[in-house]
Every structure is written in C-alpha cells, then in structure tokens.
C-alpha cells in the first residue's frame, strides 16, 4: 500500500510501546478492516515529526476485502492525518522494506525575514541571507557512492555506512514579496538514520557562509559525525517516493 | 502592514463580538505593542476559514516603536498562525481598504482518488474525473467587466454588483502518483462577498461535466444567485496579493 501522513503528531513511523507511532495506528486500525492481526513491513522508518507522501508498506492477510475497496475502508478507520492512497496485491516475495531499490526524500526550507503560517507547518523557516548556489555545490559533493558516517546519527554505529546518492538537487521559488521556498531532493539507494536531515543541516550551514565547501569535504572525508553540523528539524522532511 | 494567516481556527477577518476573528487578535495584541488602542482598516474581509498571505492593513498610532522592529515585536505577541510579514509607514491619505486598485485570490484544488494529508489542509479535495480545459474555459467566460450578481452571496443585495476580472487562470501540477494540484488565480478590481468561492464552485461543476459552458453563461447573464452552483469550501481560498 502507498501511504501518506502528516507526521506532526506522531513519534515516527516505527511501532513504539510508550509513544504513538504511525505503525501503531496503521496496524491497530487496519486489523479491524482485514479481520485479523496484521504486521507491516515498511520502506522507510521515518523519524518523529517527519512526513510521507510515498511511504510503502506490505503485509500478509487472509482478509477477503476486495483490493479496490481498501482505500475507502482504510479511510473509514484511520485519522485524517494518515491516508492509504493506493493498494495492490503484491508478489509473495515482495518486501516493502527489503525490495527497495531507491528512495527520494524531499526537504522544504522557507527563507524569509518572518515566518509564513501557510508554509511553515511543512518547512524549516530560516532567515536570509542564504546562498542557493553554494548549497547546491555542497549537495553535489555528496553525489556518488561514499561512506556517509559523517552524516549518520551519532547513536547509530553498526550498519554499513556506505550509500549511493544518485542525485541531490535544490529547487528555488519566490513568493510575491521575495521570500523563497527551497526544495531539496535527495535520491539514494538508502539512507542512514538521520542522514537526510544531517545533509540538509550541513547544506544550510554552507549556504549561510558559516562553513566552506572545503570544510564540508574534510568533515565528509573524515567520517566523523561529531565534526558535522546539527541536523535540520524534522518538520521539513518528507519521504516522497520509493522505487522497487 | 502585510499580514499572513492560517484562517482555519478563526471566524474570518472582520471583528466579531461572539466569535474570534483575525481582526480581534491583531487589534488586541498589537495594541500592547503600540501602547494605545489601534483600529485596523483592511484590504479584504476574508470569510471564516479563508487564509491570507498578502492581506494589507493600516492604522494610525502615536506609538514610538521603530518601523524595522515591528515584525519582531508583533511576532512576540501574536499566535503562530497570524504573522506580520512587513511593515511600512504609509502616506496619511492611504487606506488599506479604500485605496485598493486590485486583488488576487488563489484557490487550491487537490484532484485525487484519496485525500492527501499534506495538501488537504489548504486545498479542496475533489475526486476525478475533472476536466481542466473546460474549467479554464469557464473561468475565461467571466473575464472582463460584468454584473456578478450570480456569484455573490445570496445574503448580500445592496452593493453595486459590477466588477472587473482582469485575469482568471488555472495552473495544473501532477504529483508522482498522478494526483493533480490545481491553482486557480483570480485577479479583479474587487470581489463581492463569496464571489471567489462561488466562481470556483461553478468552475468545478463545469469541470465535472455537470454543467455546460452555455448553462454557466445563461446563469451568469441571468444574474440569479439561486440558479448558480454552491460555493467551494473556504479552506482552499487565500488572499494572495493586493495592489495599490
């Protein structure tokens, strides 16, 4: 199933015992629809406050609800901030988690002197000046197959830190009074925990002129998370597309 | 001052005694900043649930706060869904209400089989099929100087119903799964009460094939509000720009 959610009110995707996560809500509510406990595998374990428009999940069921009724049935049991956008019957060997070929995360930044209440629910508000060309150059440094240890969460140490970023771009739009909406788009074969937000945090530091491209390259090459800038806040990040 | 707000939680712009309106909040909170009761004149009296990114207000004050500190001072007293984006000193004869030359309202529609939690807070969700070319043709019918009685609120009867629409366009974007985000942009010398939402309601009815262009033209020429389709919901509408 293709799932979208506004992550503002949830403690991330992955099921939690103490906090409400997207997975708790999906599994608990959808179990009613399918008439038997369901367990989800998911493409991305989005963090607390992170959104999704293209999350993919799969599960096994002996429920008999017709495929083309699932989105409507799901809407009848889910809260309005979690939506099943499409449903298909998958191959028995398909795993929403392990069959992933690549994913696209997008990150929205609002650059303006003041906040904008219609934008800032889903964008990080930063004050100018910020130079988009140097941000773009910073992102280009990271394209390719690299050890991304400098951009993973400091709490994560065991996984293989090598990932391939296929493309890292930034789109710039102006509103009528000159405020800018920047959309960073990161396409990779996988993301380490907090990698997307750490990359955006570094790109913004470069865009503000508080870090040079050489300094960024040194931190990247040094693979030391503690030398890298802090992550961008969760509210701007969205899991946009997953490819299989 | 240029003001933006998320109208979701307010009963419109204009001051109310029983309900909370944007004007209540702006006047009450800003009076603290300027040290004396202020009374606002505003470019547009947006309705309950309608948003603004380019509302313009003016007022007289003997307050001594420097102009370039006003946005910051306002942010310290206003809730996060109402923002003063810019402030200038105006000519003594300027009126945010009466000096208006033209305004642009935008209306967002999300066309998709299911809702999208990241879009539908500020867009009207309608199910396909909907034909954008016929919507565009419907909007073009209204361009020019006309009697807009068929598109004003049925509760409003006294004002001169003649307005000039300079331009009425529709922009179409697709998301990765084929859902569409339509943005209707209406530029006019003024808008009757509910005129923008009534126009969008009619354009959507034409786009759905439930009304022909000839039928729309007859209703328009007949100036009978009761023959026209119901208004589009408030949440998709935004006062975007005001020209003086």
């Amino acid at each position: 199933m293709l799932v979208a959610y506004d992550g503002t009110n949830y403690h991330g995707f992955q099921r939690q015992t103490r906090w409400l996560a997207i997975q708790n809500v999906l599994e608990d509510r959808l179990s009613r629809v399918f008439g038997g406990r369901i367990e989800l595998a998911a493409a991305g374990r989005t963090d607390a406050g992170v959104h999704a428009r293209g999350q993919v999940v799969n599960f096994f069921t002996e429920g008999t609800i017709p495929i083309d009724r699932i989105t409507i049935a799901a809407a009848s049991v889910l809260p309005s901030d979690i939506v099943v956008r499409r449903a298909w019957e998958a191959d028995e060997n398909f795993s929403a988690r392990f069959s992933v070929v690549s994913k696209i995360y997008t990150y929205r930044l609002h650059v303006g002197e003041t906040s904008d209440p219609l934008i800032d629910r889903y964008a990080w508000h930063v004050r100018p000046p910020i130079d988009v060309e140097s941000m773009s150059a910073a992102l280009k440094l990271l394209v390719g197959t690299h050890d991304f240890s400098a951009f993973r969460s400091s709490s994560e140490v065991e996984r293989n830190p090598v990932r391939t970023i296929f493309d890292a771009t930034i789109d710039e739009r102006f509103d009528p009074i000159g405020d800018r909406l920047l959309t960073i788009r990161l396409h990779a074969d996988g993301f380490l925990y907090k990698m997307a937000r750490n990359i955006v945090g570094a790109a913004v530091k470069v865009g503000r002129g508080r870090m040079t491209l050489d300094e960024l390259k040194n931190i990247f090459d040094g693979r030391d998370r503690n030398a890298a800038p802090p992550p961008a806040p969760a509210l701007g990040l969205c899991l946009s597309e997953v490819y299989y």
Side-chain angles (χ1 to χ4, degrees), chain A residues 50-156:
Chain A
V50 174
H51 316 292
R53 296 188 69 204
Q55 173 73 286
V56 179
V57 301
N58 81 292
F59 58 97
F60 293 88
T61 179
E62 294 180 344
T64 55
I65 181 169
I67 294 281
D68 63 2
R69 302 298 295 170
I70 288 177
T71 57
I72 292 164
S76 72
V77 295
L78 288 170
S80 62
D81 52 6
I82 304 178
V83 174
V84 176
R85 297 182 76 194
R86 296 287 187 276
W88 304 269
E89 191 160 352
D91 186 271
E92 201 180 357
N93 299 315
F94 174 81
S95 162
R97 181 174 175 194
F98 296 107
S99 308
V100 172
V101 173
S102 68
K103 294 178 206 171
I104 294 174
Y105 273 95
T106 53
Y107 195 97
R108 304 211 314 164
L109 284 154
H110 165 222
V111 183
E113 292 291 349
T114 61
S115 64
D116 180 334
L118 299 176
I119 297 288
D120 295 347
R121 186 178 173 89
Y122 306 119
W124 181 20
H125 173 224
V126 296
R127 289 192 170 70
I130 190 159
D131 179 59
V132 172
E133 280 187 36
S134 60
M135 284 180 75
S136 181
L139 294 172
K140 290 291 175 254
L141 268 185
L142 310 179
V143 173
T145 302
H146 305 286
D147 181 327
F148 283 92
S149 294
F151 296 107
R152 70 175 170 184
S153 172
S154 46
S155 66
E156 185 193 44

